[in-house]
Amino acid sequence: MADHYDVLGVSRDASPEDIKKAYRRLARELHPDVNPDETAQEKFKLVTHAYEVLSDPVQRQQYDLGPQAGFGGGGGFSDFGDIFSTFFGGGQQRGPRSRMERGQDALLRVEVELSDVIFGVHKDIEIDTAVVCETCEGSCCQPGTSLATCDICGGSGTIQRAVRSLLGNVMTSNPCGSCRGYGTTIPAPCSSCQGQGRVRATRSIPLDIPAGVDTGVRLHMTQAGEAGQAGGVNGDLYFEIKVKNDEIFSRDNDDLLCTLEVQMTDAILGTKVTVPALDGDVTVDIKPGTQGSEVVTVKDRGITRLRGNGRGDLKVGIHIVTPTKLSGKEKDLIESFAKGRKQPAPQLAHFQQGMFSKLRDRFFNV
């Protein structure tokens, strides 16, 4: 690696003002706005890095001493980690930290129709997230270049300084300010991701939603989330399901509920009616003498069980429609029918919770 003093064209005992003047002179010659030549741009990067090191007194001193320079001490400890290790049985982890970081997890909410959860559904979910940079493939470097060992810390990621203490001279270790503790620098950062190894993009995630899911269920996809920095492993994706309300049908665990309006004459005489369900037509058998609030069960026409075999049932609540307007002839027929039946007067009966609670849940959402 080129010597920083040679890059700036100054002597090793140059003053801070001489270093600043040399940098300004070279910057006027090599700056990309002035000189678009690629060779000049590479030289400008070297000049800028050399100035950053030599203009900082601490980094310049460390550079002059060399990356492996050390200080002796009466205490005989190389750093605070050794002190803690000796007296307390522990110590801090050494070595440079990795540029690779795991991507963030993400939680997305997905709305599905009630009809979708009967048999399950496939959806392609569009998400805006971080993906691996295609230009550098996560290396953070412009193609054709690579990471360089930091010339300040020599690749260790830390800077050691001597500190006087009651135990004598000891060495403290702090993250290198030049490479931020990575032990390497990026001489030519990727122009697409600015040295991050990832970029923002929209991508499609194929999601198979199983049958029987309900609102609040979360689906987990391992390593399908945000790409990690510098080629780090992807985070995870979590999909939280929200089942939309249907205008006709509601849900009770694995059963489907609905209300069927039946004319009074059909309830008396009985009939069969075919109505559209969420998964095709279904025939409902109305027995003669069916009472209001009765529930007719159609087996195996509900929702597929999430964990188990088979399906729930379709439960049809009967609502008998009483005519409010009668012709004279119709009224005479009803009165004649009533006299012939000799029915008892209206009276109180035992309260029936079942059907009313379901109707209440459906219409009032309580």
Side-chain angles (χ1 to χ4, degrees), residues 260-287:
L260 181 65
E261 293 185 343
V262 178
Q263 297 299 317
M264 181 182 67
T265 51
D266 288 331
I268 295 172
L269 301 175
T271 187
K272 286 188 178 181
V273 58
T274 299
V275 295
L278 291 174
D279 61 334
D281 291 345
V282 61
T283 299
V284 181
D285 187 8
I286 308 298
K287 303 293 185 182

PDB file of all heavy atoms in Angstrom, residues 260-287:
ATOM      1  N   LEU A 260     -81.426 -17.798   6.293  1.00  0.00           N
ATOM      2  CA  LEU A 260     -82.275 -18.040   5.122  1.00  0.00           C
ATOM      3  C   LEU A 260     -83.686 -17.562   5.414  1.00  0.00           C
ATOM      4  O   LEU A 260     -84.311 -17.994   6.386  1.00  0.00           O
ATOM      5  CB  LEU A 260     -82.295 -19.531   4.774  1.00  0.00           C
ATOM      6  CG  LEU A 260     -83.124 -19.945   3.556  1.00  0.00           C
ATOM      7  CD1 LEU A 260     -82.532 -19.345   2.281  1.00  0.00           C
ATOM      8  CD2 LEU A 260     -83.198 -21.460   3.440  1.00  0.00           C
ATOM      9  N   GLU A 261     -84.159 -16.638   4.592  1.00  0.00           N
ATOM     10  CA  GLU A 261     -85.529 -16.142   4.743  1.00  0.00           C
ATOM     11  C   GLU A 261     -86.490 -17.109   4.059  1.00  0.00           C
ATOM     12  O   GLU A 261     -86.346 -17.400   2.868  1.00  0.00           O
ATOM     13  CB  GLU A 261     -85.664 -14.740   4.164  1.00  0.00           C
ATOM     14  CG  GLU A 261     -84.876 -13.690   4.935  1.00  0.00           C
ATOM     15  CD  GLU A 261     -85.131 -12.283   4.419  1.00  0.00           C
ATOM     16  OE1 GLU A 261     -85.656 -12.161   3.275  1.00  0.00           O
ATOM     17  OE2 GLU A 261     -84.805 -11.320   5.125  1.00  0.00           O
ATOM     18  N   VAL A 262     -87.476 -17.590   4.817  1.00  0.00           N
ATOM     19  CA  VAL A 262     -88.443 -18.587   4.326  1.00  0.00           C
ATOM     20  C   VAL A 262     -89.852 -18.014   4.470  1.00  0.00           C
ATOM     21  O   VAL A 262     -90.213 -17.500   5.538  1.00  0.00           O
ATOM     22  CB  VAL A 262     -88.308 -19.902   5.121  1.00  0.00           C
ATOM     23  CG1 VAL A 262     -89.336 -20.914   4.646  1.00  0.00           C
ATOM     24  CG2 VAL A 262     -86.894 -20.466   4.981  1.00  0.00           C
ATOM     25  N   GLN A 263     -90.618 -18.112   3.422  1.00  0.00           N
ATOM     26  CA  GLN A 263     -92.006 -17.646   3.495  1.00  0.00           C
ATOM     27  C   GLN A 263     -92.810 -18.547   4.437  1.00  0.00           C
ATOM     28  O   GLN A 263     -92.525 -19.740   4.589  1.00  0.00           O
ATOM     29  CB  GLN A 263     -92.644 -17.637   2.095  1.00  0.00           C
ATOM     30  CG  GLN A 263     -91.966 -16.675   1.119  1.00  0.00           C
ATOM     31  CD  GLN A 263     -92.026 -15.233   1.586  1.00  0.00           C
ATOM     32  OE1 GLN A 263     -93.070 -14.768   2.061  1.00  0.00           O
ATOM     33  NE2 GLN A 263     -90.899 -14.536   1.467  1.00  0.00           N
ATOM     34  N   MET A 264     -93.820 -17.966   5.033  1.00  0.00           N
ATOM     35  CA  MET A 264     -94.626 -18.678   6.011  1.00  0.00           C
ATOM     36  C   MET A 264     -95.221 -19.959   5.416  1.00  0.00           C
ATOM     37  O   MET A 264     -95.229 -21.008   6.062  1.00  0.00           O
ATOM     38  CB  MET A 264     -95.744 -17.767   6.518  1.00  0.00           C
ATOM     39  CG  MET A 264     -96.643 -18.399   7.571  1.00  0.00           C
ATOM     40  SD  MET A 264     -97.964 -17.284   8.086  1.00  0.00           S
ATOM     41  CE  MET A 264     -98.925 -17.197   6.566  1.00  0.00           C
ATOM     42  N   THR A 265     -95.700 -19.888   4.188  1.00  0.00           N
ATOM     43  CA  THR A 265     -96.317 -21.070   3.570  1.00  0.00           C
ATOM     44  C   THR A 265     -95.293 -22.179   3.342  1.00  0.00           C
ATOM     45  O   THR A 265     -95.587 -23.367   3.501  1.00  0.00           O
ATOM     46  CB  THR A 265     -96.958 -20.680   2.231  1.00  0.00           C
ATOM     47  OG1 THR A 265     -95.991 -19.964   1.427  1.00  0.00           O
ATOM     48  CG2 THR A 265     -98.160 -19.789   2.449  1.00  0.00           C
ATOM     49  N   ASP A 266     -94.040 -21.785   2.970  1.00  0.00           N
ATOM     50  CA  ASP A 266     -92.997 -22.796   2.783  1.00  0.00           C
ATOM     51  C   ASP A 266     -92.616 -23.439   4.106  1.00  0.00           C
ATOM     52  O   ASP A 266     -92.305 -24.641   4.163  1.00  0.00           O
ATOM     53  CB  ASP A 266     -91.760 -22.165   2.150  1.00  0.00           C
ATOM     54  CG  ASP A 266     -91.980 -21.805   0.687  1.00  0.00           C
ATOM     55  OD1 ASP A 266     -92.791 -22.479   0.035  1.00  0.00           O
ATOM     56  OD2 ASP A 266     -91.342 -20.851   0.197  1.00  0.00           O
ATOM     57  N   ALA A 267     -92.642 -22.664   5.180  1.00  0.00           N
ATOM     58  CA  ALA A 267     -92.328 -23.225   6.491  1.00  0.00           C
ATOM     59  C   ALA A 267     -93.407 -24.203   6.932  1.00  0.00           C
ATOM     60  O   ALA A 267     -93.122 -25.219   7.570  1.00  0.00           O
ATOM     61  CB  ALA A 267     -92.166 -22.107   7.516  1.00  0.00           C
ATOM     62  N   ILE A 268     -94.664 -23.926   6.573  1.00  0.00           N
ATOM     63  CA  ILE A 268     -95.776 -24.809   6.959  1.00  0.00           C
ATOM     64  C   ILE A 268     -95.758 -26.090   6.134  1.00  0.00           C
ATOM     65  O   ILE A 268     -95.848 -27.204   6.678  1.00  0.00           O
ATOM     66  CB  ILE A 268     -97.120 -24.079   6.789  1.00  0.00           C
ATOM     67  CG1 ILE A 268     -97.205 -22.902   7.773  1.00  0.00           C
ATOM     68  CG2 ILE A 268     -98.280 -25.039   6.998  1.00  0.00           C
ATOM     69  CD1 ILE A 268     -98.414 -22.005   7.541  1.00  0.00           C
ATOM     70  N   LEU A 269     -95.593 -25.946   4.833  1.00  0.00           N
ATOM     71  CA  LEU A 269     -95.714 -27.097   3.940  1.00  0.00           C
ATOM     72  C   LEU A 269     -94.388 -27.808   3.694  1.00  0.00           C
ATOM     73  O   LEU A 269     -94.382 -28.974   3.303  1.00  0.00           O
ATOM     74  CB  LEU A 269     -96.304 -26.646   2.595  1.00  0.00           C
ATOM     75  CG  LEU A 269     -97.693 -25.989   2.680  1.00  0.00           C
ATOM     76  CD1 LEU A 269     -98.109 -25.473   1.305  1.00  0.00           C
ATOM     77  CD2 LEU A 269     -98.718 -26.985   3.219  1.00  0.00           C
ATOM     78  N   GLY A 270     -93.272 -27.112   3.910  1.00  0.00           N
ATOM     79  CA  GLY A 270     -91.965 -27.700   3.622  1.00  0.00           C
ATOM     80  C   GLY A 270     -91.572 -27.491   2.173  1.00  0.00           C
ATOM     81  O   GLY A 270     -92.421 -27.410   1.281  1.00  0.00           O
ATOM     82  N   THR A 271     -90.274 -27.404   1.913  1.00  0.00           N
ATOM     83  CA  THR A 271     -89.782 -27.215   0.550  1.00  0.00           C
ATOM     84  C   THR A 271     -88.284 -27.480   0.525  1.00  0.00           C
ATOM     85  O   THR A 271     -87.637 -27.608   1.567  1.00  0.00           O
ATOM     86  CB  THR A 271     -90.065 -25.776   0.060  1.00  0.00           C
ATOM     87  OG1 THR A 271     -89.708 -25.682  -1.328  1.00  0.00           O
ATOM     88  CG2 THR A 271     -89.251 -24.761   0.843  1.00  0.00           C
ATOM     89  N   LYS A 272     -87.733 -27.573  -0.659  1.00  0.00           N
ATOM     90  CA  LYS A 272     -86.291 -27.638  -0.852  1.00  0.00           C
ATOM     91  C   LYS A 272     -85.869 -26.449  -1.693  1.00  0.00           C
ATOM     92  O   LYS A 272     -86.524 -26.135  -2.692  1.00  0.00           O
ATOM     93  CB  LYS A 272     -85.890 -28.947  -1.537  1.00  0.00           C
ATOM     94  CG  LYS A 272     -85.944 -30.174  -0.655  1.00  0.00           C
ATOM     95  CD  LYS A 272     -85.351 -31.388  -1.351  1.00  0.00           C
ATOM     96  CE  LYS A 272     -85.361 -32.617  -0.417  1.00  0.00           C
ATOM     97  NZ  LYS A 272     -84.761 -33.798  -1.070  1.00  0.00           N
ATOM     98  N   VAL A 273     -84.780 -25.814  -1.295  1.00  0.00           N
ATOM     99  CA  VAL A 273     -84.319 -24.628  -2.014  1.00  0.00           C
ATOM    100  C   VAL A 273     -82.813 -24.744  -2.239  1.00  0.00           C
ATOM    101  O   VAL A 273     -82.080 -25.214  -1.370  1.00  0.00           O
ATOM    102  CB  VAL A 273     -84.669 -23.342  -1.225  1.00  0.00           C
ATOM    103  CG1 VAL A 273     -84.055 -23.356   0.155  1.00  0.00           C
ATOM    104  CG2 VAL A 273     -84.235 -22.097  -2.000  1.00  0.00           C
ATOM    105  N   THR A 274     -82.374 -24.358  -3.424  1.00  0.00           N
ATOM    106  CA  THR A 274     -80.953 -24.347  -3.746  1.00  0.00           C
ATOM    107  C   THR A 274     -80.447 -22.907  -3.696  1.00  0.00           C
ATOM    108  O   THR A 274     -81.000 -22.029  -4.376  1.00  0.00           O
ATOM    109  CB  THR A 274     -80.693 -24.936  -5.137  1.00  0.00           C
ATOM    110  OG1 THR A 274     -81.147 -26.305  -5.155  1.00  0.00           O
ATOM    111  CG2 THR A 274     -79.203 -24.912  -5.461  1.00  0.00           C
ATOM    112  N   VAL A 275     -79.413 -22.679  -2.875  1.00  0.00           N
ATOM    113  CA  VAL A 275     -78.878 -21.329  -2.697  1.00  0.00           C
ATOM    114  C   VAL A 275     -77.363 -21.363  -2.951  1.00  0.00           C
ATOM    115  O   VAL A 275     -76.715 -22.389  -2.782  1.00  0.00           O
ATOM    116  CB  VAL A 275     -79.167 -20.804  -1.276  1.00  0.00           C
ATOM    117  CG1 VAL A 275     -80.667 -20.632  -1.067  1.00  0.00           C
ATOM    118  CG2 VAL A 275     -78.575 -21.720  -0.224  1.00  0.00           C
ATOM    119  N   PRO A 276     -76.775 -20.219  -3.351  1.00  0.00           N
ATOM    120  CA  PRO A 276     -75.322 -20.170  -3.582  1.00  0.00           C
ATOM    121  C   PRO A 276     -74.556 -20.079  -2.270  1.00  0.00           C
ATOM    122  O   PRO A 276     -74.848 -19.216  -1.431  1.00  0.00           O
ATOM    123  CB  PRO A 276     -75.147 -18.905  -4.430  1.00  0.00           C
ATOM    124  CG  PRO A 276     -76.311 -18.037  -4.056  1.00  0.00           C
ATOM    125  CD  PRO A 276     -77.450 -18.961  -3.749  1.00  0.00           C
ATOM    126  N   ALA A 277     -73.601 -20.974  -2.076  1.00  0.00           N
ATOM    127  CA  ALA A 277     -72.704 -20.917  -0.925  1.00  0.00           C
ATOM    128  C   ALA A 277     -71.343 -20.401  -1.396  1.00  0.00           C
ATOM    129  O   ALA A 277     -71.153 -20.063  -2.569  1.00  0.00           O
ATOM    130  CB  ALA A 277     -72.583 -22.289  -0.276  1.00  0.00           C
ATOM    131  N   LEU A 278     -70.371 -20.319  -0.488  1.00  0.00           N
ATOM    132  CA  LEU A 278     -69.064 -19.782  -0.849  1.00  0.00           C
ATOM    133  C   LEU A 278     -68.293 -20.698  -1.790  1.00  0.00           C
ATOM    134  O   LEU A 278     -67.379 -20.249  -2.487  1.00  0.00           O
ATOM    135  CB  LEU A 278     -68.234 -19.526   0.420  1.00  0.00           C
ATOM    136  CG  LEU A 278     -68.727 -18.381   1.313  1.00  0.00           C
ATOM    137  CD1 LEU A 278     -67.903 -18.330   2.595  1.00  0.00           C
ATOM    138  CD2 LEU A 278     -68.643 -17.053   0.577  1.00  0.00           C
ATOM    139  N   ASP A 279     -68.643 -21.991  -1.804  1.00  0.00           N
ATOM    140  CA  ASP A 279     -67.924 -22.937  -2.649  1.00  0.00           C
ATOM    141  C   ASP A 279     -68.868 -23.651  -3.608  1.00  0.00           C
ATOM    142  O   ASP A 279     -68.661 -24.806  -3.950  1.00  0.00           O
ATOM    143  CB  ASP A 279     -67.178 -23.955  -1.792  1.00  0.00           C
ATOM    144  CG  ASP A 279     -68.128 -24.773  -0.910  1.00  0.00           C
ATOM    145  OD1 ASP A 279     -69.210 -24.248  -0.589  1.00  0.00           O
ATOM    146  OD2 ASP A 279     -67.784 -25.911  -0.549  1.00  0.00           O
ATOM    147  N   GLY A 280     -69.920 -22.971  -4.054  1.00  0.00           N
ATOM    148  CA  GLY A 280     -70.863 -23.573  -4.987  1.00  0.00           C
ATOM    149  C   GLY A 280     -72.258 -23.675  -4.386  1.00  0.00           C
ATOM    150  O   GLY A 280     -72.487 -23.365  -3.216  1.00  0.00           O
ATOM    151  N   ASP A 281     -73.213 -24.102  -5.206  1.00  0.00           N
ATOM    152  CA  ASP A 281     -74.604 -24.185  -4.746  1.00  0.00           C
ATOM    153  C   ASP A 281     -74.773 -25.275  -3.691  1.00  0.00           C
ATOM    154  O   ASP A 281     -74.071 -26.288  -3.692  1.00  0.00           O
ATOM    155  CB  ASP A 281     -75.531 -24.469  -5.933  1.00  0.00           C
ATOM    156  CG  ASP A 281     -75.612 -23.284  -6.888  1.00  0.00           C
ATOM    157  OD1 ASP A 281     -75.198 -22.178  -6.483  1.00  0.00           O
ATOM    158  OD2 ASP A 281     -76.065 -23.479  -8.028  1.00  0.00           O
ATOM    159  N   VAL A 282     -75.757 -25.047  -2.808  1.00  0.00           N
ATOM    160  CA  VAL A 282     -76.064 -26.013  -1.765  1.00  0.00           C
ATOM    161  C   VAL A 282     -77.593 -26.104  -1.640  1.00  0.00           C
ATOM    162  O   VAL A 282     -78.301 -25.103  -1.782  1.00  0.00           O
ATOM    163  CB  VAL A 282     -75.425 -25.610  -0.414  1.00  0.00           C
ATOM    164  CG1 VAL A 282     -75.952 -24.265   0.060  1.00  0.00           C
ATOM    165  CG2 VAL A 282     -75.653 -26.672   0.640  1.00  0.00           C
ATOM    166  N   THR A 283     -78.107 -27.310  -1.409  1.00  0.00           N
ATOM    167  CA  THR A 283     -79.544 -27.527  -1.268  1.00  0.00           C
ATOM    168  C   THR A 283     -79.911 -27.599   0.210  1.00  0.00           C
ATOM    169  O   THR A 283     -79.306 -28.372   0.965  1.00  0.00           O
ATOM    170  CB  THR A 283     -79.973 -28.817  -1.974  1.00  0.00           C
ATOM    171  OG1 THR A 283     -79.678 -28.708  -3.369  1.00  0.00           O
ATOM    172  CG2 THR A 283     -81.474 -29.049  -1.799  1.00  0.00           C
ATOM    173  N   VAL A 284     -80.884 -26.787   0.605  1.00  0.00           N
ATOM    174  CA  VAL A 284     -81.355 -26.745   1.990  1.00  0.00           C
ATOM    175  C   VAL A 284     -82.753 -27.346   2.035  1.00  0.00           C
ATOM    176  O   VAL A 284     -83.651 -26.914   1.298  1.00  0.00           O
ATOM    177  CB  VAL A 284     -81.368 -25.303   2.528  1.00  0.00           C
ATOM    178  CG1 VAL A 284     -81.839 -25.286   3.995  1.00  0.00           C
ATOM    179  CG2 VAL A 284     -79.979 -24.676   2.404  1.00  0.00           C
ATOM    180  N   ASP A 285     -82.939 -28.341   2.883  1.00  0.00           N
ATOM    181  CA  ASP A 285     -84.221 -29.044   3.003  1.00  0.00           C
ATOM    182  C   ASP A 285     -85.011 -28.435   4.161  1.00  0.00           C
ATOM    183  O   ASP A 285     -84.624 -28.564   5.326  1.00  0.00           O
ATOM    184  CB  ASP A 285     -83.965 -30.528   3.247  1.00  0.00           C
ATOM    185  CG  ASP A 285     -85.254 -31.352   3.208  1.00  0.00           C
ATOM    186  OD1 ASP A 285     -86.303 -30.783   2.852  1.00  0.00           O
ATOM    187  OD2 ASP A 285     -85.183 -32.555   3.545  1.00  0.00           O
ATOM    188  N   ILE A 286     -86.127 -27.760   3.823  1.00  0.00           N
ATOM    189  CA  ILE A 286     -87.008 -27.164   4.834  1.00  0.00           C
ATOM    190  C   ILE A 286     -88.117 -28.168   5.138  1.00  0.00           C
ATOM    191  O   ILE A 286     -88.972 -28.451   4.289  1.00  0.00           O
ATOM    192  CB  ILE A 286     -87.614 -25.828   4.335  1.00  0.00           C
ATOM    193  CG1 ILE A 286     -86.510 -24.880   3.830  1.00  0.00           C
ATOM    194  CG2 ILE A 286     -88.431 -25.180   5.433  1.00  0.00           C
ATOM    195  CD1 ILE A 286     -85.513 -24.478   4.875  1.00  0.00           C
ATOM    196  N   LYS A 287     -88.116 -28.721   6.330  1.00  0.00           N
ATOM    197  CA  LYS A 287     -89.109 -29.700   6.716  1.00  0.00           C
ATOM    198  C   LYS A 287     -90.470 -29.024   6.940  1.00  0.00           C
ATOM    199  O   LYS A 287     -90.522 -27.871   7.364  1.00  0.00           O
ATOM    200  CB  LYS A 287     -88.693 -30.416   8.000  1.00  0.00           C
ATOM    201  CG  LYS A 287     -87.326 -31.110   7.936  1.00  0.00           C
ATOM    202  CD  LYS A 287     -87.337 -32.280   6.973  1.00  0.00           C
ATOM    203  CE  LYS A 287     -86.006 -33.034   7.014  1.00  0.00           C
ATOM    204  NZ  LYS A 287     -85.974 -34.156   6.042  1.00  0.00           N
TER     205      LYS A 287
END
